[in-house]
Amino acid sequence: MSLPSTSGTLLVPYYEHPSVRPAEWDALIAAAPRLHAVVLNPASGPGERPDPAFAEVAERLRTADVRVLGYADTDYGRRPMTDVVRELSRHRAWYGTDGAFLDQVASGEAEFTYYRRLAAAAWGLGCGTLALNHGTVPHPSYARIADVLVTFEGPWATYRRNHLPPWTDAGARLCHLVYGVPDGVDLAASARERGATLHCAVPGVGDHPWGTLPHALEMTGSR
């Protein structure tokens, strides 16, 4: 499978079912040139069986030349690697994902071996893009195995006070995922100042902020 050529700057984890939020998925697909990737997360992973609605939006995203990353939780290196690999394999088989978005990724050097082996398994499955969501700045070794490192995930109130180190020579692209962002905030500029070329800013708060569309789409009336 050839990788999409999309050069956008939005990496979007949108965790809503297409049959419940069809207009929002349509807006995401319409914004394809602005997207770097979309994280597909049918059931905190691929689920126990294929979901036709997610298969359809995954196909539409690929047709629009957008990377589709399959979500898998690693529980900071505590989850059995075989379970994670099985989920990535299901994402590939059921939804044709181009890569993987690994969540709750450890940031310390001690856990690096686990993730190095997991990355090798993901590549073996055909994952062309590997994104690691640390949510904080990890040990530099992780940049050797990933295409994208999420070095911040959290609320806008914390982000605006947090002067993250630029770390621009990481060897991987950096991404910041920020929720509770007020309307009109240019997160792209703030992310660039902190060395991140990828970002996502959503207005959502609480336990499920990634059930809202990125501010960058709302601000242009794409919703």
Side-chain angles (χ1 to χ4, degrees):
M1 179 187 296
S2 60
L3 285 178
S5 58
T6 303
S7 57
T9 59
L10 293 175
L11 192 158
V12 182
Y14 186 58
Y15 299 159
E16 288 290 331
H17 198 279
S19 65
V20 177
R21 296 284 187 269
E24 283 79 354
W25 279 100
D26 288 346
L28 266 179
I29 294 164
R34 306 181 63 187
L35 304 177
H36 178 77
V38 172
V39 181
L40 205 71
N41 186 14
S44 296
E48 294 301 317
R49 58 187 61 83
D51 186 318
F54 275 101
E56 180 185 0
V57 295
E59 176 61 27
R60 291 175 64 195
L61 286 165
R62 289 195 305 274
T63 299
D65 210 23
V66 177
R67 294 175 182 85
V68 181
L69 307 182
Y71 175 98
D73 184 1
T74 68
D75 193 23
Y76 302 103
R78 294 186 292 262
R79 194 167 178 219
M81 193 175 303
T82 53
D83 290 353
V84 180
V85 173
R86 180 169 59 250
E87 290 195 350
L88 297 182
S89 179
R90 286 177 174 177
H91 275 299
R92 288 280 292 164
W94 297 347
Y95 307 114
T97 51
D98 309 293
F101 181 90
L102 301 184
D103 198 14
Q104 297 200 107
V105 175
S107 58
E109 187 176 12
E111 295 84 6
F112 176 71
T113 298
Y114 170 94
Y115 288 99
R116 178 175 53 78
R117 293 174 57 201
L118 189 52
W123 297 329
L125 292 172
C127 292
T129 298
L130 180 61
L132 304 181
N133 184 13
H134 304 276
T136 189
V137 178
H139 187 273
S141 59
Y142 289 91
R144 303 202 305 266
I145 62 170
D147 300 288
V148 177
L149 299 177
V150 179
T151 56
F152 181 89
E153 180 182 2
W156 168 247
T158 300
Y159 187 74
R160 65 181 179 178
R161 298 192 303 266
N162 193 340
H163 298 287
L164 299 170
W167 206 31
T168 53
D169 59 344
R173 297 186 73 174
L174 306 186
C175 177
H176 295 162
L177 303 178
V178 188
Y179 51 84
V181 180
D183 188 23
V185 170
D186 181 9
L187 188 72
S190 296
R192 284 194 302 269
E193 291 172 359
R194 294 164 168 85
T197 58
L198 304 175
H199 67 279
C200 187
V202 299
V205 294
D207 294 334
H208 185 48
W210 305 113
T212 53
L213 277 182
H215 255 311
L217 302 186
E218 292 185 339
M219 288 166 63
T220 58
S222 299
R223 189 166 183 173

